[in-house]
Amino acid sequence: QTLTNGINEAGKMALLTWEKEAGIELVQINGQRHYGGPPPGWEGGPPPAGTEVYIARLPQDVYENTLIPLFESVGKLYEFRLMMTFSGFNRGFAYARYASLQDARRAIATFHRFQLREGCTIVVCWSTQKHELVLNGLPAWMSQQELEARLQMVTEGIRRVTLHASPCQRQAKLAVLKYRSHKAAAMAKKTLMEGNLRFGKEGLKVDWLDPQLRKKLQLCEEEPSSSWVQGGKSPAVPRLVAQPLLLQNVLECLNMLCWKHRLRTPMFITRCVQVNPNGWQKFWYQVVIPGYHVPISGFTWVSPDRQGQSKQEKAKVVAALHGLWMLGESLHSQLPAF
């Protein structure tokens, strides 16, 4: 089979034909193609927890027209999610959620180490419903309030944020983020990785929380829920706790900090560079502060309108917050060491 422009055209055409003939609708959102949840004709609520299986080591040119009929052969599917790349291949893994625990158990017994094609044996096991992410490489001056404000602008479903001293980096922190579901956490992970989230010179590292790291952190005291750190008030930025964040309030904080630095009024550029079918938009932004040594730029995902804020306004809030954190870090680095 010939690969053209990074996509297996024969496999793609077979998928489109199958969709039309079977009356199947697949929806691609945030890097995953989704079937069901619930599927056509489903009655009642969703199946109980523990009915999802994880499918790995898939050939990248295999699609739902092969996978859904195969996994439906052992039980009724409630949902099927195939992880996709921008080039049109699958990412080698998928999730199948069954109507019952018995069906899920049967799928594992039948398809674990199943030879999908010659030389390709797949892995099927219970899905681990991870809800927690770890952000590594946060600056030492970061407070819980500033971090929560930023995360609530660019992700959804966050339940708890805790800060810890990084066990790997001196003068740095890491954060544990707990989301309401595995799906919310997975979407947040993708957003944070692709959104070029930055709080200083280096980008953050985003990953699932490792059990061994969790044990290490349990031995450490969590950061208190206030902006008071190291025996005194954080010099980084003014505390931002109002929800939702209003552009006027953030701009007032940024202008005040610029004035303290003897800098001039910031100028903003925002541009939408990507739109997803569910209404999320990816913005590039730049903050130019006359007198500051470099422009401050980055990317952010912006959710559909809520509480009257436009997407442009949300992007500008994130840009202003980034400017606050950059100036706060500069101020912190200029403080004398004791």
Side-chain angles (χ1 to χ4, degrees):
Q1 294 178 331
T2 303
L3 298 180
T4 306
N5 296 326
I7 299 177
N8 182 319
E9 293 297 336
K12 184 180 178 181
M13 292 303 298
L15 174 64
L16 293 174
T17 301
W18 173 77
E19 283 186 80
K20 185 176 180 180
E21 292 178 349
I24 294 293
E25 181 180 4
L26 302 176
V27 180
Q28 185 162 336
I29 299 175
N30 290 330
Q32 56 181 279
R33 203 153 57 203
H34 185 274
Y35 160 75
W42 180 271
E43 295 182 0
T51 55
E52 185 174 81
V53 301
Y54 171 69
I55 308 157
R57 298 185 185 175
L58 293 170
Q60 287 190 279
D61 59 343
V62 169
Y63 302 112
E64 291 88 345
N65 56 312
T66 297
L67 297 172
I68 289 179
L70 178 68
F71 282 88
E72 272 190 329
S73 67
V74 296
K76 185 172 179 58
L77 279 177
Y78 175 78
E79 185 179 49
F80 191 91
R81 296 182 289 128
L82 181 64
M83 306 300 113
M84 301 297 296
T85 69
F86 288 114
S87 60
F89 289 108
N90 77 63
R91 293 170 58 194
F93 66 99
Y95 297 89
R97 188 177 181 187
Y98 282 91
S100 68
L101 184 63
Q102 292 78 9
D103 289 344
R105 187 179 292 114
R106 190 179 302 115
I108 294 172
T110 304
F111 296 124
H112 182 54
R113 298 181 180 175
F114 177 79
Q115 187 166 311
L116 191 61
R117 63 169 61 156
E118 186 176 355
C120 175
T121 301
I122 63 175
V123 170
V124 181
C125 58
W126 293 108
S127 172
T128 302
Q129 294 291 304
K130 299 178 181 179
H131 290 207
E132 292 177 301
L133 302 176
V134 59
L135 288 181
N136 218 327
L138 290 165
W141 52 259
M142 178 61 63
S143 73
Q144 184 165 322
Q145 285 75 23
E146 282 105 0
L147 181 58
E148 285 179 351
R150 180 68 177 269
L151 291 170
Q152 287 172 0
M153 289 298 300
V154 300
T155 70
E156 290 189 337
I158 192 163
R159 289 287 178 85
R160 186 174 70 242
V161 177
T162 55
L163 278 176
H164 307 264
S166 174
C168 305
Q169 296 175 270
R170 296 183 60 187
Q171 300 298 317
K173 291 182 180 179
L174 63 80
V176 175
L177 318 178
K178 184 172 183 178
Y179 285 83
R180 67 169 178 257
S181 66
H182 173 72
K183 184 177 180 180
M187 292 178 68
K189 181 175 182 287
K190 184 175 187 296
T191 297
L192 294 173
M193 292 177 66
E194 295 183 356
N196 195 27
L197 186 66
R198 293 177 182 271
F199 292 100
K201 296 180 181 179
E202 301 295 332
L204 297 178
K205 294 182 179 179
V206 186
D207 209 341
W208 296 108
L209 178 61
D210 182 83
Q212 292 184 350
L213 178 58
R214 184 202 300 276
K215 291 181 181 179
K216 288 182 180 179
L217 296 178
Q218 286 175 346
L219 301 176
C220 302
E221 184 178 357
E222 293 182 356
E223 287 286 317
S225 299
S226 75
S227 59
W228 291 76
V229 295
Q230 298 178 354
K233 193 172 183 179
S234 167
V237 295
R239 184 176 177 181
L240 301 173
V241 295
Q243 295 296 331
L245 288 173
L246 298 178
L247 180 59
Q248 181 180 354
N249 297 341
V250 181
L251 288 180
E252 287 177 359
C253 294
L254 179 58
N255 289 336
M256 181 175 64
L257 201 57
C258 288
W259 177 78
K260 289 182 178 180
H261 276 270
R262 298 183 180 179
L263 301 171
R264 294 166 63 187
T265 303
M267 297 177 290
F268 295 86
I269 304 171
T270 59
R271 183 181 304 132
C272 180
V273 296
Q274 185 178 340
V275 180
N276 278 356
N278 63 345
W280 284 72
Q281 294 185 5
K282 186 177 183 180
F283 277 82
W284 171 84
Y285 61 82
Q286 187 172 80
V287 186
V288 179
I289 304 175
Y292 191 68
H293 54 94
V294 292
I296 300 166
S297 60
F299 293 90
T300 183
W301 283 99
V302 175
S303 65
D305 293 347
R306 289 180 298 180
Q307 301 183 4
Q309 281 187 308
S310 70
K311 294 183 178 67
Q312 288 281 350
E313 184 175 351
K314 289 182 180 181
K316 197 171 180 180
V317 168
V318 172
L321 285 169
H322 194 170
L324 277 170
W325 286 315
M326 289 293 289
L327 290 183
E329 186 179 57
S330 297
L331 177 59
H332 186 270
S333 65
Q334 294 169 15
L335 293 176
F338 295 97

